Amino acid sequence: MCMKAKENNLDRRNFISKSALLGAGMVAGPMAFANGKNSPGTIEGLKAASNPEKRMLGALEVSPIGLGCMSMKSGSYNPPRDTKDMIPVIRGAYDLGVTFFDTAEVYGPFTDEELVGEALQPIRDNVVIASKFGFDFSNGKRAGRNSKPEHIKSAVEGMLKRLRTDRIDLLYLHRLDPNVPIEDVAGTVKDLIKEGKALHFGLSEVSPTTIRKAHAEQPVAALQSEYSIIQRALENEVIDTCGELGIGFVPWGPVCRGFLGDKFNEHSRFSSDSRLSQVPYFTPEAIEAHMEVLRLVREWGRKKDATPAQIALAWVMAQKPFIVPIPGTTKLHHVKQNQGALNVTFSDTELKEFRNALEKIQLVGVRGPETALVDQ
């Protein structure tokens, strides 16, 4: 379906020899698994980043890079993977320093939460689990948005069982229900927090106006929305609103669904059953236009001795100190590579230089800045 770009020597498959991870010291994760199979000493090539500091999502402390678990069991971007193959990825991510894991009831539906719950059960008290509500389901499929208070409470009971926990660290509204005032949603989550079933409140893909309304009712810890070097609509007021209110920002798609990891090239095409075939910035015209962005990212990779994926993640994190990306993957070596982004830094001058070059590139199929002011 997709052809590898030939001109890049810093792609994901070659990262072991090029990754900035290799220059850092060996450090164990917060609590290595005792069985030896998943301990840092037995994961080939495991190196910790040199600056593994935490970041804050409101009052919630998390690792500076999280792990998006959507693709593991949901079949969203690839066929569902076996649980036995995905548990080592999640637990290996923890050994690499990742403490922030993202899922949702709609992924599958339900299968991703079940996987995350099983994988993290042995270390539940050492990690932050984020999940999302906001949909109805019928015959095992999504059936419209539903954020009525009684539905939220029922949904959370199911989420707790699947996640094998007594509380959800970060409980997100996945998508706004136009039939339910956001104040009612926030108030319901406030009640769940009082009961101890949730610890922090999050929103996803909503406007600054909605953020402010929700935050006035129940403090919002994090906003999760798509953001990357290519998809930058959220720079129109949304990220600044988060900064003003002390809300963390959690970008999904920070590597632009693999494009900035050098996974595709101008010849890549997608079958009609591929989720990517429905993404406007993955049309043939858009891919060809965005190769210019990828070339810019590769160039900075050569300057920084980093892979394109590491540059993409480091750039996102460099925009604000409260930004915590959650790249998704089904492969542990990608998690290792992503962690290497913590070793990549940009000076203010470099960020300005990067931005100047980026703004000269005509993007195709991306969201316009006006869309950031409207609930999605």
Side-chain angles (χ1 to χ4, degrees):
M1 180 177 66
C2 306
M3 296 177 59
K4 275 284 186 183
K6 296 180 180 179
E7 63 188 278
N8 178 37
N9 292 323
L10 294 175
D11 63 12
R12 284 186 176 274
R13 296 191 180 189
N14 293 333
F15 88 93
I16 291 177
S17 63
K18 293 290 185 180
S19 171
L21 283 167
L22 298 181
M26 177 76 77
V27 179
M31 186 187 81
F33 284 87
N35 64 10
K37 293 182 179 179
N38 295 303
S39 64
T42 58
I43 297 178
E44 183 181 356
L46 172 59
K47 302 286 184 179
S50 61
N51 57 341
E53 78 282 359
K54 302 293 185 179
R55 288 198 170 194
M56 301 301 296
L57 302 176
L60 180 61
E61 185 179 80
V62 298
S63 54
I65 299 175
L67 178 62
C69 300
M70 176 181 178
S71 295
M72 293 182 173
K73 294 286 289 184
S74 69
S76 298
Y77 289 101
N78 44 255
R81 306 304 195 216
D82 288 341
T83 296
K84 64 179 177 61
D85 295 326
M86 293 299 95
I87 286 178
V89 176
I90 294 174
R91 292 181 179 173
Y94 174 75
D95 283 336
L96 283 160
V98 176
T99 62
F100 182 39
F101 297 86
D102 183 88
T103 185
E105 61 170 357
V106 76
Y107 300 160
F110 311 132
T111 54
D112 240 55
E113 286 185 324
E114 291 170 350
L115 166 67
V116 171
E118 181 177 352
L120 295 179
Q121 189 174 22
I123 48 168
R124 174 63 188 96
D125 292 338
N126 301 288
V127 297
V128 171
I129 296 177
S131 196
K132 314 176 197 73
F133 65 84
F135 292 100
D136 262 329
F137 299 95
S138 177
N139 298 320
K141 294 183 179 180
R142 188 171 69 185
R145 302 182 184 190
N146 188 345
S147 290
K148 295 176 182 177
E150 61 272 20
H151 180 78
I152 294 173
K153 293 176 181 179
S154 175
V156 167
E157 292 300 325
M159 295 163 77
L160 291 170
K161 290 178 182 177
R162 290 187 293 272
L163 291 166
R164 304 188 186 192
T165 184
D166 61 351
R167 80 281 183 191
I168 299 168
D169 300 292
L170 179 54
L171 181 63
Y172 285 104
L173 168 64
H174 205 158
R175 291 292 186 272
L176 186 71
D177 182 344
N179 298 313
V180 180
I182 190 61
E183 293 88 348
D184 291 355
V185 175
T188 303
V189 175
K190 178 189 284 188
D191 292 341
L192 290 166
I193 291 173
K194 289 178 181 177
E195 295 174 29
K197 294 178 179 180
L199 302 185
H200 300 271
F201 178 34
L203 299 170
S204 181
E205 297 291 358
V206 294
S207 67
T209 299
T210 297
I211 294 170
R212 292 181 186 279
K213 288 180 180 179
H215 192 69
E217 177 66 28
Q218 166 60 39
V220 176
L223 173 75
Q224 182 179 136
S225 297
E226 185 176 12
Y227 180 63
S228 68
I229 289 174
I230 286 177
Q231 189 72 280
R232 306 194 301 276
L234 277 292
E235 292 179 354
N236 184 22
E237 294 192 29
V238 174
I239 295 176
D240 284 344
T241 299
C242 288
E244 175 194 337
L245 299 178
I247 298 170
F249 181 60
V250 179
W252 66 265
V255 189
C256 205
R257 310 191 205 212
F259 184 83
L260 295 174
D262 224 346
K263 187 176 181 180
F264 311 111
N265 65 24
E266 62 268 33
H267 304 295
S268 297
R269 299 294 183 269
F270 308 100
S271 61
S272 60
D273 59 349
S274 167
R275 186 183 182 96
L276 295 179
S277 68
Q278 308 302 315
V279 178
Y281 56 74
F282 272 117
T283 64
E285 297 78 16
I287 291 176
E288 184 173 357
H290 299 158
M291 289 304 297
E292 193 72 20
V293 180
L294 184 55
R295 282 189 281 271
L296 176 65
V297 170
R298 289 173 182 162
E299 176 187 340
W300 279 91
R302 287 189 287 270
K303 290 179 182 179
K304 298 287 187 179
D305 192 23
T307 68
Q310 289 169 348
I311 293 296
L313 289 169
W315 184 89
V316 163
M317 288 189 289
Q319 303 310 301
K320 299 289 182 182
F322 53 84
I323 291 180
V324 179
I326 49 167
T329 185
T330 60
K331 299 177 177 63
L332 184 56
H333 67 269
H334 286 177
V335 178
K336 296 178 187 179
Q337 180 187 178
N338 293 341
Q339 287 295 95
L342 298 176
N343 288 322
V344 180
T345 60
F346 292 93
S347 67
D348 290 344
T349 300
E350 288 174 327
L351 285 174
K352 193 171 296 184
E353 181 184 346
F354 194 115
R355 178 75 66 160
N356 288 340
L358 186 59
E359 290 182 347
K360 294 176 182 177
I361 300 171
Q362 183 68 44
L363 303 179
V364 176
V366 299
R367 290 175 55 180
E370 71 284 351
T371 65
L373 306 181
V374 180
D375 299 316
Q376 299 302 304

